[in-house]
Amino acid sequence: MLKTLIFFGGLTCLSVNSQGLAIDFIKERADNSTYAVNDVIADKTSKERLHILCRTGSISNFVTFKYINLSKLSSNDSEQMLAVMQDVFSGKPGYQTPYLYPGSDITGIQALGSYNRTNPTIGISIPVSSLSCDNMIYQCQLSYEYDNWPTEPIVETQTNVSRNLTISDTCLGNMPEHNDYGKLVALITGVVVCTILVAALVTVLIRKRWNTLSNEQTNLRDNDTTLALASDFIDSSDKSV
Ligand SMILES: *[C@@H]1O[C@H](CO)[C@@H](O)[C@H](O)[C@H]1NC(C)=O
Ligand SMILES: *[C@@H]1O[C@H](CO)[C@@H](O)[C@H](O)[C@H]1NC(C)=O
Ligand SMILES: *[C@@H]1O[C@H](CO)[C@@H](O)[C@H](O)[C@H]1NC(C)=O
Ligand SMILES: *[C@@H]1O[C@H](CO)[C@@H](O)[C@H](O)[C@H]1NC(C)=O
Ligand SMILES: *[C@@H]1O[C@H](CO)[C@@H](O)[C@H](O)[C@H]1NC(C)=O
Ligand SMILES: *[C@@H]1O[C@H](CO)[C@@H](O)[C@H](O)[C@H]1NC(C)=O
């Protein structure tokens, strides 16, 4: 089951959006301004926070949601529930307000989200400094009702989406910008050197071929002249006979 979810996550990590649900990765600076990101660098000195927010997109004839929840799949296949919100008065936590499951062991983690019957969001906010080097798959699930009149008045269904949060290899002590710069320089140098070599080779080949061709043409012209002279000679000797 978990394997299927992880596979599903891998498939959808590029599309991100699935049946009216989407997961956003948003960084929040110290001054509370925010910007969207696709991956993060695990920086123990960072003052920023990372928001992992699941939002509902357009779902036609949406009547109400029943619950919306976010969980995390670690690379070792373990699933951890993070936050939930529901619109069913059931005694379960998260009734119309985001609820943070205990036990995440992340210092400073907070629940995020807003209640709206047809447009709920759920998520978490964590300090970037708390991130470990593990890539994580976040999964969000929405259980909801929509109006299918006149076939069936109200239909209950579920949808889900997963997204892979890539943690940069700065974790390994590398400096990716410098490596990338070095690689870029090497690539450009390689392309330039290769172009010069190919150009030189092509020039040599064309020269060689040209010389051969002109030699052949000279020979041909010589042969033609010889032939013409010969036939003229034959013609004239025929006439004289
Ligand atoms: C998540 O992304 C990382 C880095 O791109 C990749 O190595 C890993 O295989 C991905 N995992 C899944 C399940 O897509
Ligand atoms: C950022 O938001 C927090 C909580 O919402 C607030 O306490 C703080 O004053 C805000 N900081 C700035 C610089 O607006
Ligand atoms: C959401 O909650 C349901 C019911 O508690 C659970 O079966 C499901 O695994 C949860 N999904 C996620 C992504 O947390
Ligand atoms: C899987 O990883 C999580 C954190 O990444 C850890 O808390 C948990 O104990 C691990 N589970 C197993 C079975 O190794
Ligand atoms: C709930 O979301 C819908 C759709 O985005 C919006 O039209 C409506 O104003 C929202 N309601 C509240 C109370 O914010
Ligand atoms: C997630 O959605 C897919 C396709 O809609 C479905 O096949 C799968 O069972 C869902 N997973 C869960 C945990 O609901």
mmCIF file with all atom_site columns, all heavy atoms in Angstrom, residues 15 24 39 42 46 49 58 64 70 76 85 90 112 125 139 143-144 168 173 178 189 192 195 197 213 220 230 239:
data_model
loop_
_atom_site.group_PDB
_atom_site.id
_atom_site.type_symbol
_atom_site.label_atom_id
_atom_site.label_alt_id
_atom_site.label_comp_id
_atom_site.label_asym_id
_atom_site.label_entity_id
_atom_site.label_seq_id
_atom_site.pdbx_PDB_ins_code
_atom_site.Cartn_x
_atom_site.Cartn_y
_atom_site.Cartn_z
_atom_site.occupancy
_atom_site.B_iso_or_equiv
_atom_site.pdbx_formal_charge
_atom_site.auth_seq_id
_atom_site.auth_comp_id
_atom_site.auth_asym_id
_atom_site.auth_atom_id
_atom_site.pdbx_PDB_model_num
ATOM 1   N N   . SER A 1 15  ? 3.578   16.899 -11.762 1.00 0.00 ? 15  SER A N   1
ATOM 2   C CA  . SER A 1 15  ? 2.333   17.577 -12.096 1.00 0.00 ? 15  SER A CA  1
ATOM 3   C C   . SER A 1 15  ? 1.814   18.371 -10.883 1.00 0.00 ? 15  SER A C   1
ATOM 4   O O   . SER A 1 15  ? 1.245   19.432 -11.056 1.00 0.00 ? 15  SER A O   1
ATOM 5   C CB  . SER A 1 15  ? 1.280   16.579 -12.549 1.00 0.00 ? 15  SER A CB  1
ATOM 6   O OG  . SER A 1 15  ? 0.884   15.769 -11.490 1.00 0.00 ? 15  SER A OG  1
ATOM 7   N N   . ASP A 1 24  ? 1.570   23.130 -1.969  1.00 0.00 ? 24  ASP A N   1
ATOM 8   C CA  . ASP A 1 24  ? 2.516   24.218 -2.232  1.00 0.00 ? 24  ASP A CA  1
ATOM 9   C C   . ASP A 1 24  ? 3.622   24.181 -1.191  1.00 0.00 ? 24  ASP A C   1
ATOM 10  O O   . ASP A 1 24  ? 3.354   23.947 -0.009  1.00 0.00 ? 24  ASP A O   1
ATOM 11  C CB  . ASP A 1 24  ? 1.806   25.578 -2.134  1.00 0.00 ? 24  ASP A CB  1
ATOM 12  C CG  . ASP A 1 24  ? 0.765   25.768 -3.219  1.00 0.00 ? 24  ASP A CG  1
ATOM 13  O OD1 . ASP A 1 24  ? 0.985   25.285 -4.347  1.00 0.00 ? 24  ASP A OD1 1
ATOM 14  O OD2 . ASP A 1 24  ? -0.278  26.382 -2.938  1.00 0.00 ? 24  ASP A OD2 1
ATOM 15  N N   . ASP A 1 39  ? 12.312  23.218 -3.994  1.00 0.00 ? 39  ASP A N   1
ATOM 16  C CA  . ASP A 1 39  ? 13.162  22.404 -3.135  1.00 0.00 ? 39  ASP A CA  1
ATOM 17  C C   . ASP A 1 39  ? 13.777  23.314 -2.082  1.00 0.00 ? 39  ASP A C   1
ATOM 18  O O   . ASP A 1 39  ? 13.680  24.530 -2.183  1.00 0.00 ? 39  ASP A O   1
ATOM 19  C CB  . ASP A 1 39  ? 14.243  21.685 -3.957  1.00 0.00 ? 39  ASP A CB  1
ATOM 20  C CG  . ASP A 1 39  ? 14.937  22.619 -4.923  1.00 0.00 ? 39  ASP A CG  1
ATOM 21  O OD1 . ASP A 1 39  ? 15.176  23.785 -4.539  1.00 0.00 ? 39  ASP A OD1 1
ATOM 22  O OD2 . ASP A 1 39  ? 15.228  22.210 -6.046  1.00 0.00 ? 39  ASP A OD2 1
ATOM 23  N N   . ALA A 1 42  ? 18.825  22.312 3.387   1.00 0.00 ? 42  ALA A N   1
ATOM 24  C CA  . ALA A 1 42  ? 18.762  22.102 4.833   1.00 0.00 ? 42  ALA A CA  1
ATOM 25  C C   . ALA A 1 42  ? 19.869  22.924 5.478   1.00 0.00 ? 42  ALA A C   1
ATOM 26  O O   . ALA A 1 42  ? 21.022  22.517 5.495   1.00 0.00 ? 42  ALA A O   1
ATOM 27  C CB  . ALA A 1 42  ? 18.925  20.622 5.146   1.00 0.00 ? 42  ALA A CB  1
ATOM 28  N N   . SER A 1 46  ? 19.401  28.829 9.117   1.00 0.00 ? 46  SER A N   1
ATOM 29  C CA  . SER A 1 46  ? 18.338  29.595 8.467   1.00 0.00 ? 46  SER A CA  1
ATOM 30  C C   . SER A 1 46  ? 17.350  30.167 9.489   1.00 0.00 ? 46  SER A C   1
ATOM 31  O O   . SER A 1 46  ? 17.012  29.520 10.477  1.00 0.00 ? 46  SER A O   1
ATOM 32  C CB  . SER A 1 46  ? 17.594  28.698 7.483   1.00 0.00 ? 46  SER A CB  1
ATOM 33  O OG  . SER A 1 46  ? 16.477  29.384 6.971   1.00 0.00 ? 46  SER A OG  1
ATOM 34  N N   . ARG A 1 49  ? 11.107  29.989 7.578   1.00 0.00 ? 49  ARG A N   1
ATOM 35  C CA  . ARG A 1 49  ? 10.228  28.857 7.854   1.00 0.00 ? 49  ARG A CA  1
ATOM 36  C C   . ARG A 1 49  ? 9.748   28.279 6.523   1.00 0.00 ? 49  ARG A C   1
ATOM 37  O O   . ARG A 1 49  ? 9.712   28.975 5.512   1.00 0.00 ? 49  ARG A O   1
ATOM 38  C CB  . ARG A 1 49  ? 9.021   29.288 8.703   1.00 0.00 ? 49  ARG A CB  1
ATOM 39  C CG  . ARG A 1 49  ? 9.381   29.767 10.110  1.00 0.00 ? 49  ARG A CG  1
ATOM 40  C CD  . ARG A 1 49  ? 8.137   30.132 10.911  1.00 0.00 ? 49  ARG A CD  1
ATOM 41  N NE  . ARG A 1 49  ? 7.351   28.950 11.274  1.00 0.00 ? 49  ARG A NE  1
ATOM 42  C CZ  . ARG A 1 49  ? 7.577   28.212 12.365  1.00 0.00 ? 49  ARG A CZ  1
ATOM 43  N NH1 . ARG A 1 49  ? 8.533   28.522 13.199  1.00 0.00 ? 49  ARG A NH1 1
ATOM 44  N NH2 . ARG A 1 49  ? 6.825   27.156 12.617  1.00 0.00 ? 49  ARG A NH2 1
ATOM 45  N N   . SER A 1 58  ? -10.314 23.943 -8.055  1.00 0.00 ? 58  SER A N   1
ATOM 46  C CA  . SER A 1 58  ? -11.709 24.007 -8.475  1.00 0.00 ? 58  SER A CA  1
ATOM 47  C C   . SER A 1 58  ? -12.297 22.600 -8.569  1.00 0.00 ? 58  SER A C   1
ATOM 48  O O   . SER A 1 58  ? -11.797 21.755 -9.291  1.00 0.00 ? 58  SER A O   1
ATOM 49  C CB  . SER A 1 58  ? -11.809 24.711 -9.826  1.00 0.00 ? 58  SER A CB  1
ATOM 50  O OG  . SER A 1 58  ? -10.991 24.053 -10.745 1.00 0.00 ? 58  SER A OG  1
ATOM 51  N N   . THR A 1 64  ? -19.546 20.226 0.338   1.00 0.00 ? 64  THR A N   1
ATOM 52  C CA  . THR A 1 64  ? -18.788 20.438 1.574   1.00 0.00 ? 64  THR A CA  1
ATOM 53  C C   . THR A 1 64  ? -17.662 19.424 1.663   1.00 0.00 ? 64  THR A C   1
ATOM 54  O O   . THR A 1 64  ? -17.739 18.365 1.046   1.00 0.00 ? 64  THR A O   1
ATOM 55  C CB  . THR A 1 64  ? -19.680 20.334 2.825   1.00 0.00 ? 64  THR A CB  1
ATOM 56  O OG1 . THR A 1 64  ? -18.908 20.671 3.978   1.00 0.00 ? 64  THR A OG1 1
ATOM 57  C CG2 . THR A 1 64  ? -20.237 18.941 3.017   1.00 0.00 ? 64  THR A CG2 1
ATOM 58  N N   . LEU A 1 70  ? -2.981  16.004 5.948   1.00 0.00 ? 70  LEU A N   1
ATOM 59  C CA  . LEU A 1 70  ? -1.636  16.007 5.375   1.00 0.00 ? 70  LEU A CA  1
ATOM 60  C C   . LEU A 1 70  ? -0.768  15.028 6.153   1.00 0.00 ? 70  LEU A C   1
ATOM 61  O O   . LEU A 1 70  ? -0.807  15.014 7.391   1.00 0.00 ? 70  LEU A O   1
ATOM 62  C CB  . LEU A 1 70  ? -1.044  17.413 5.484   1.00 0.00 ? 70  LEU A CB  1
ATOM 63  C CG  . LEU A 1 70  ? 0.352   17.625 4.901   1.00 0.00 ? 70  LEU A CG  1
ATOM 64  C CD1 . LEU A 1 70  ? 0.291   17.682 3.376   1.00 0.00 ? 70  LEU A CD1 1
ATOM 65  C CD2 . LEU A 1 70  ? 0.986   18.903 5.434   1.00 0.00 ? 70  LEU A CD2 1
ATOM 66  N N   . ASN A 1 76  ? 12.102  5.712  4.457   1.00 0.00 ? 76  ASN A N   1
ATOM 67  C CA  . ASN A 1 76  ? 12.051  4.336  4.968   1.00 0.00 ? 76  ASN A CA  1
ATOM 68  C C   . ASN A 1 76  ? 10.629  3.786  5.018   1.00 0.00 ? 76  ASN A C   1
ATOM 69  O O   . ASN A 1 76  ? 10.353  2.850  5.761   1.00 0.00 ? 76  ASN A O   1
ATOM 70  C CB  . ASN A 1 76  ? 12.735  4.236  6.338   1.00 0.00 ? 76  ASN A CB  1
ATOM 71  C CG  . ASN A 1 76  ? 11.994  5.028  7.419   1.00 0.00 ? 76  ASN A CG  1
ATOM 72  O OD1 . ASN A 1 76  ? 10.916  5.548  7.173   1.00 0.00 ? 76  ASN A OD1 1
ATOM 73  N ND2 . ASN A 1 76  ? 12.569  5.093  8.601   1.00 0.00 ? 76  ASN A ND2 1
ATOM 74  N N   . MET A 1 85  ? -8.103  18.590 9.374   1.00 0.00 ? 85  MET A N   1
ATOM 75  C CA  . MET A 1 85  ? -9.237  19.459 9.700   1.00 0.00 ? 85  MET A CA  1
ATOM 76  C C   . MET A 1 85  ? -10.483 18.760 9.166   1.00 0.00 ? 85  MET A C   1
ATOM 77  O O   . MET A 1 85  ? -10.430 18.113 8.127   1.00 0.00 ? 85  MET A O   1
ATOM 78  C CB  . MET A 1 85  ? -9.079  20.836 9.039   1.00 0.00 ? 85  MET A CB  1
ATOM 79  C CG  . MET A 1 85  ? -10.215 21.787 9.387   1.00 0.00 ? 85  MET A CG  1
ATOM 80  S SD  . MET A 1 85  ? -9.839  23.505 8.969   1.00 0.00 ? 85  MET A SD  1
ATOM 81  C CE  . MET A 1 85  ? -9.438  23.385 7.262   1.00 0.00 ? 85  MET A CE  1
ATOM 82  N N   . SER A 1 90  ? -17.671 15.135 15.167  1.00 0.00 ? 90  SER A N   1
ATOM 83  C CA  . SER A 1 90  ? -17.563 13.709 15.465  1.00 0.00 ? 90  SER A CA  1
ATOM 84  C C   . SER A 1 90  ? -16.809 13.435 16.751  1.00 0.00 ? 90  SER A C   1
ATOM 85  O O   . SER A 1 90  ? -16.661 12.287 17.148  1.00 0.00 ? 90  SER A O   1
ATOM 86  C CB  . SER A 1 90  ? -16.818 13.030 14.326  1.00 0.00 ? 90  SER A CB  1
ATOM 87  O OG  . SER A 1 90  ? -15.511 13.575 14.258  1.00 0.00 ? 90  SER A OG  1
ATOM 88  N N   . LEU A 1 112 ? -1.169  24.821 9.979   1.00 0.00 ? 112 LEU A N   1
ATOM 89  C CA  . LEU A 1 112 ? -1.618  25.916 9.118   1.00 0.00 ? 112 LEU A CA  1
ATOM 90  C C   . LEU A 1 112 ? -2.948  25.506 8.512   1.00 0.00 ? 112 LEU A C   1
ATOM 91  O O   . LEU A 1 112 ? -3.248  24.327 8.413   1.00 0.00 ? 112 LEU A O   1
ATOM 92  C CB  . LEU A 1 112 ? -0.652  26.130 7.952   1.00 0.00 ? 112 LEU A CB  1
ATOM 93  C CG  . LEU A 1 112 ? 0.715   26.758 8.148   1.00 0.00 ? 112 LEU A CG  1
ATOM 94  C CD1 . LEU A 1 112 ? 1.383   26.838 6.789   1.00 0.00 ? 112 LEU A CD1 1
ATOM 95  C CD2 . LEU A 1 112 ? 0.585   28.133 8.755   1.00 0.00 ? 112 LEU A CD2 1
ATOM 96  N N   . SER A 1 125 ? 3.775   24.476 9.265   1.00 0.00 ? 125 SER A N   1
ATOM 97  C CA  . SER A 1 125 ? 4.849   25.449 9.126   1.00 0.00 ? 125 SER A CA  1
ATOM 98  C C   . SER A 1 125 ? 5.974   24.967 10.036  1.00 0.00 ? 125 SER A C   1
ATOM 99  O O   . SER A 1 125 ? 5.737   24.670 11.209  1.00 0.00 ? 125 SER A O   1
ATOM 100 C CB  . SER A 1 125 ? 4.335   26.822 9.554   1.00 0.00 ? 125 SER A CB  1
ATOM 101 O OG  . SER A 1 125 ? 5.416   27.677 9.856   1.00 0.00 ? 125 SER A OG  1
ATOM 102 N N   . GLN A 1 139 ? 1.815   13.953 1.441   1.00 0.00 ? 139 GLN A N   1
ATOM 103 C CA  . GLN A 1 139 ? 0.581   13.516 0.813   1.00 0.00 ? 139 GLN A CA  1
ATOM 104 C C   . GLN A 1 139 ? -0.607  14.180 1.483   1.00 0.00 ? 139 GLN A C   1
ATOM 105 O O   . GLN A 1 139 ? -0.654  14.301 2.711   1.00 0.00 ? 139 GLN A O   1
ATOM 106 C CB  . GLN A 1 139 ? 0.428   12.005 0.908   1.00 0.00 ? 139 GLN A CB  1
ATOM 107 C CG  . GLN A 1 139 ? -0.882  11.579 0.247   1.00 0.00 ? 139 GLN A CG  1
ATOM 108 C CD  . GLN A 1 139 ? -0.966  10.109 -0.022  1.00 0.00 ? 139 GLN A CD  1
ATOM 109 O OE1 . GLN A 1 139 ? -0.292  9.326  0.626   1.00 0.00 ? 139 GLN A OE1 1
ATOM 110 N NE2 . GLN A 1 139 ? -1.795  9.734  -0.958  1.00 0.00 ? 139 GLN A NE2 1
ATOM 111 N N   . SER A 1 143 ? -11.585 14.401 1.603   1.00 0.00 ? 143 SER A N   1
ATOM 112 C CA  . SER A 1 143 ? -12.823 13.645 1.505   1.00 0.00 ? 143 SER A CA  1
ATOM 113 C C   . SER A 1 143 ? -13.935 14.679 1.424   1.00 0.00 ? 143 SER A C   1
ATOM 114 O O   . SER A 1 143 ? -13.988 15.596 2.241   1.00 0.00 ? 143 SER A O   1
ATOM 115 C CB  . SER A 1 143 ? -12.972 12.768 2.749   1.00 0.00 ? 143 SER A CB  1
ATOM 116 O OG  . SER A 1 143 ? -14.258 12.222 2.775   1.00 0.00 ? 143 SER A OG  1
ATOM 117 N N   . TYR A 1 144 ? -14.810 14.574 0.404   1.00 0.00 ? 144 TYR A N   1
ATOM 118 C CA  . TYR A 1 144 ? -15.783 15.643 0.208   1.00 0.00 ? 144 TYR A CA  1
ATOM 119 C C   . TYR A 1 144 ? -17.064 15.142 -0.456  1.00 0.00 ? 144 TYR A C   1
ATOM 120 O O   . TYR A 1 144 ? -17.120 14.004 -0.953  1.00 0.00 ? 144 TYR A O   1
ATOM 121 C CB  . TYR A 1 144 ? -15.174 16.767 -0.635  1.00 0.00 ? 144 TYR A CB  1
ATOM 122 C CG  . TYR A 1 144 ? -14.846 16.384 -2.064  1.00 0.00 ? 144 TYR A CG  1
ATOM 123 C CD1 . TYR A 1 144 ? -15.694 16.739 -3.115  1.00 0.00 ? 144 TYR A CD1 1
ATOM 124 C CD2 . TYR A 1 144 ? -13.695 15.676 -2.369  1.00 0.00 ? 144 TYR A CD2 1
ATOM 125 C CE1 . TYR A 1 144 ? -15.405 16.388 -4.423  1.00 0.00 ? 144 TYR A CE1 1
ATOM 126 C CE2 . TYR A 1 144 ? -13.389 15.320 -3.679  1.00 0.00 ? 144 TYR A CE2 1
ATOM 127 C CZ  . TYR A 1 144 ? -14.249 15.686 -4.696  1.00 0.00 ? 144 TYR A CZ  1
ATOM 128 O OH  . TYR A 1 144 ? -13.952 15.333 -5.993  1.00 0.00 ? 144 TYR A OH  1
ATOM 129 N N   . SER A 1 168 ? 18.283  19.826 -0.764  1.00 0.00 ? 168 SER A N   1
ATOM 130 C CA  . SER A 1 168 ? 19.501  19.996 -1.557  1.00 0.00 ? 168 SER A CA  1
ATOM 131 C C   . SER A 1 168 ? 20.685  19.233 -0.990  1.00 0.00 ? 168 SER A C   1
ATOM 132 O O   . SER A 1 168 ? 20.767  18.982 0.203   1.00 0.00 ? 168 SER A O   1
ATOM 133 C CB  . SER A 1 168 ? 19.836  21.473 -1.624  1.00 0.00 ? 168 SER A CB  1
ATOM 134 O OG  . SER A 1 168 ? 21.217  21.651 -1.733  1.00 0.00 ? 168 SER A OG  1
ATOM 135 N N   . GLY A 1 173 ? 27.666  18.611 2.632   1.00 0.00 ? 173 GLY A N   1
ATOM 136 C CA  . GLY A 1 173 ? 28.826  19.471 2.828   1.00 0.00 ? 173 GLY A CA  1
ATOM 137 C C   . GLY A 1 173 ? 29.339  20.028 1.511   1.00 0.00 ? 173 GLY A C   1
ATOM 138 O O   . GLY A 1 173 ? 30.380  20.675 1.479   1.00 0.00 ? 173 GLY A O   1
ATOM 139 N N   . HIS A 1 178 ? 29.037  26.475 -6.441  1.00 0.00 ? 178 HIS A N   1
ATOM 140 C CA  . HIS A 1 178 ? 30.404  26.432 -6.963  1.00 0.00 ? 178 HIS A CA  1
ATOM 141 C C   . HIS A 1 178 ? 30.592  25.247 -7.895  1.00 0.00 ? 178 HIS A C   1
ATOM 142 O O   . HIS A 1 178 ? 31.159  25.371 -8.962  1.00 0.00 ? 178 HIS A O   1
ATOM 143 C CB  . HIS A 1 178 ? 31.405  26.382 -5.814  1.00 0.00 ? 178 HIS A CB  1
ATOM 144 C CG  . HIS A 1 178 ? 31.439  27.672 -5.045  1.00 0.00 ? 178 HIS A CG  1
ATOM 145 N ND1 . HIS A 1 178 ? 32.381  27.954 -4.096  1.00 0.00 ? 178 HIS A ND1 1
ATOM 146 C CD2 . HIS A 1 178 ? 30.627  28.746 -5.100  1.00 0.00 ? 178 HIS A CD2 1
ATOM 147 C CE1 . HIS A 1 178 ? 32.141  29.162 -3.590  1.00 0.00 ? 178 HIS A CE1 1
ATOM 148 N NE2 . HIS A 1 178 ? 31.067  29.649 -4.186  1.00 0.00 ? 178 HIS A NE2 1
ATOM 149 N N   . THR A 1 189 ? 33.874  25.306 -22.044 1.00 0.00 ? 189 THR A N   1
ATOM 150 C CA  . THR A 1 189 ? 35.210  25.050 -22.571 1.00 0.00 ? 189 THR A CA  1
ATOM 151 C C   . THR A 1 189 ? 35.162  23.837 -23.505 1.00 0.00 ? 189 THR A C   1
ATOM 152 O O   . THR A 1 189 ? 35.696  23.876 -24.629 1.00 0.00 ? 189 THR A O   1
ATOM 153 C CB  . THR A 1 189 ? 36.192  24.780 -21.411 1.00 0.00 ? 189 THR A CB  1
ATOM 154 O OG1 . THR A 1 189 ? 35.968  25.738 -20.406 1.00 0.00 ? 189 THR A OG1 1
ATOM 155 C CG2 . THR A 1 189 ? 37.634  24.839 -21.879 1.00 0.00 ? 189 THR A CG2 1
ATOM 156 N N   . VAL A 1 192 ? 33.447  24.696 -26.825 1.00 0.00 ? 192 VAL A N   1
ATOM 157 C CA  . VAL A 1 192 ? 34.276  25.571 -27.668 1.00 0.00 ? 192 VAL A CA  1
ATOM 158 C C   . VAL A 1 192 ? 35.423  24.770 -28.286 1.00 0.00 ? 192 VAL A C   1
ATOM 159 O O   . VAL A 1 192 ? 35.627  24.797 -29.507 1.00 0.00 ? 192 VAL A O   1
ATOM 160 C CB  . VAL A 1 192 ? 34.817  26.772 -26.844 1.00 0.00 ? 192 VAL A CB  1
ATOM 161 C CG1 . VAL A 1 192 ? 35.896  27.504 -27.611 1.00 0.00 ? 192 VAL A CG1 1
ATOM 162 C CG2 . VAL A 1 192 ? 33.682  27.712 -26.485 1.00 0.00 ? 192 VAL A CG2 1
ATOM 163 N N   . THR A 1 195 ? 34.168  22.415 -30.919 1.00 0.00 ? 195 THR A N   1
ATOM 164 C CA  . THR A 1 195 ? 33.786  23.127 -32.145 1.00 0.00 ? 195 THR A CA  1
ATOM 165 C C   . THR A 1 195 ? 35.023  23.465 -32.975 1.00 0.00 ? 195 THR A C   1
ATOM 166 O O   . THR A 1 195 ? 35.037  23.252 -34.192 1.00 0.00 ? 195 THR A O   1
ATOM 167 C CB  . THR A 1 195 ? 33.028  24.428 -31.786 1.00 0.00 ? 195 THR A CB  1
ATOM 168 O OG1 . THR A 1 195 ? 32.017  24.109 -30.843 1.00 0.00 ? 195 THR A OG1 1
ATOM 169 C CG2 . THR A 1 195 ? 32.417  25.055 -33.010 1.00 0.00 ? 195 THR A CG2 1
ATOM 170 N N   . LEU A 1 197 ? 37.963  21.973 -32.959 1.00 0.00 ? 197 LEU A N   1
ATOM 171 C CA  . LEU A 1 197 ? 38.534  20.734 -33.495 1.00 0.00 ? 197 LEU A CA  1
ATOM 172 C C   . LEU A 1 197 ? 37.745  20.257 -34.708 1.00 0.00 ? 197 LEU A C   1
ATOM 173 O O   . LEU A 1 197 ? 38.320  19.912 -35.744 1.00 0.00 ? 197 LEU A O   1
ATOM 174 C CB  . LEU A 1 197 ? 38.551  19.651 -32.418 1.00 0.00 ? 197 LEU A CB  1
ATOM 175 C CG  . LEU A 1 197 ? 39.668  19.782 -31.381 1.00 0.00 ? 197 LEU A CG  1
ATOM 176 C CD1 . LEU A 1 197 ? 39.566  18.664 -30.357 1.00 0.00 ? 197 LEU A CD1 1
ATOM 177 C CD2 . LEU A 1 197 ? 41.037  19.724 -32.083 1.00 0.00 ? 197 LEU A CD2 1
ATOM 178 N N   . LEU A 1 213 ? 39.319  16.518 -56.287 1.00 0.00 ? 213 LEU A N   1
ATOM 179 C CA  . LEU A 1 213 ? 38.338  16.837 -57.329 1.00 0.00 ? 213 LEU A CA  1
ATOM 180 C C   . LEU A 1 213 ? 38.991  17.601 -58.474 1.00 0.00 ? 213 LEU A C   1
ATOM 181 O O   . LEU A 1 213 ? 38.804  17.254 -59.640 1.00 0.00 ? 213 LEU A O   1
ATOM 182 C CB  . LEU A 1 213 ? 37.209  17.686 -56.736 1.00 0.00 ? 213 LEU A CB  1
ATOM 183 C CG  . LEU A 1 213 ? 35.999  16.911 -56.224 1.00 0.00 ? 213 LEU A CG  1
ATOM 184 C CD1 . LEU A 1 213 ? 34.968  17.869 -55.696 1.00 0.00 ? 213 LEU A CD1 1
ATOM 185 C CD2 . LEU A 1 213 ? 35.407  16.033 -57.329 1.00 0.00 ? 213 LEU A CD2 1
ATOM 186 N N   . LEU A 1 220 ? 40.189  14.708 -66.469 1.00 0.00 ? 220 LEU A N   1
ATOM 187 C CA  . LEU A 1 220 ? 39.041  14.486 -67.354 1.00 0.00 ? 220 LEU A CA  1
ATOM 188 C C   . LEU A 1 220 ? 39.136  15.391 -68.568 1.00 0.00 ? 220 LEU A C   1
ATOM 189 O O   . LEU A 1 220 ? 38.954  14.951 -69.707 1.00 0.00 ? 220 LEU A O   1
ATOM 190 C CB  . LEU A 1 220 ? 37.748  14.787 -66.605 1.00 0.00 ? 220 LEU A CB  1
ATOM 191 C CG  . LEU A 1 220 ? 37.087  13.590 -65.907 1.00 0.00 ? 220 LEU A CG  1
ATOM 192 C CD1 . LEU A 1 220 ? 35.828  14.044 -65.202 1.00 0.00 ? 220 LEU A CD1 1
ATOM 193 C CD2 . LEU A 1 220 ? 36.776  12.487 -66.908 1.00 0.00 ? 220 LEU A CD2 1
ATOM 194 N N   . ALA A 1 230 ? 41.489  13.191 -81.249 1.00 0.00 ? 230 ALA A N   1
ATOM 195 C CA  . ALA A 1 230 ? 41.533  11.891 -81.928 1.00 0.00 ? 230 ALA A CA  1
ATOM 196 C C   . ALA A 1 230 ? 40.412  11.763 -82.932 1.00 0.00 ? 230 ALA A C   1
ATOM 197 O O   . ALA A 1 230 ? 40.635  11.356 -84.081 1.00 0.00 ? 230 ALA A O   1
ATOM 198 C CB  . ALA A 1 230 ? 41.437  10.772 -80.885 1.00 0.00 ? 230 ALA A CB  1
ATOM 199 N N   . LYS A 1 239 ? 37.509  11.649 -94.417 1.00 0.00 ? 239 LYS A N   1
ATOM 200 C CA  . LYS A 1 239 ? 37.171  12.512 -95.556 1.00 0.00 ? 239 LYS A CA  1
ATOM 201 C C   . LYS A 1 239 ? 38.241  12.428 -96.644 1.00 0.00 ? 239 LYS A C   1
ATOM 202 O O   . LYS A 1 239 ? 37.932  12.381 -97.833 1.00 0.00 ? 239 LYS A O   1
ATOM 203 C CB  . LYS A 1 239 ? 37.033  13.969 -95.086 1.00 0.00 ? 239 LYS A CB  1
ATOM 204 C CG  . LYS A 1 239 ? 35.638  14.242 -94.539 1.00 0.00 ? 239 LYS A CG  1
ATOM 205 C CD  . LYS A 1 239 ? 35.534  15.649 -93.978 1.00 0.00 ? 239 LYS A CD  1
ATOM 206 C CE  . LYS A 1 239 ? 34.371  15.722 -93.002 1.00 0.00 ? 239 LYS A CE  1
ATOM 207 N NZ  . LYS A 1 239 ? 34.664  16.694 -91.961 1.00 0.00 ? 239 LYS A NZ  1
#
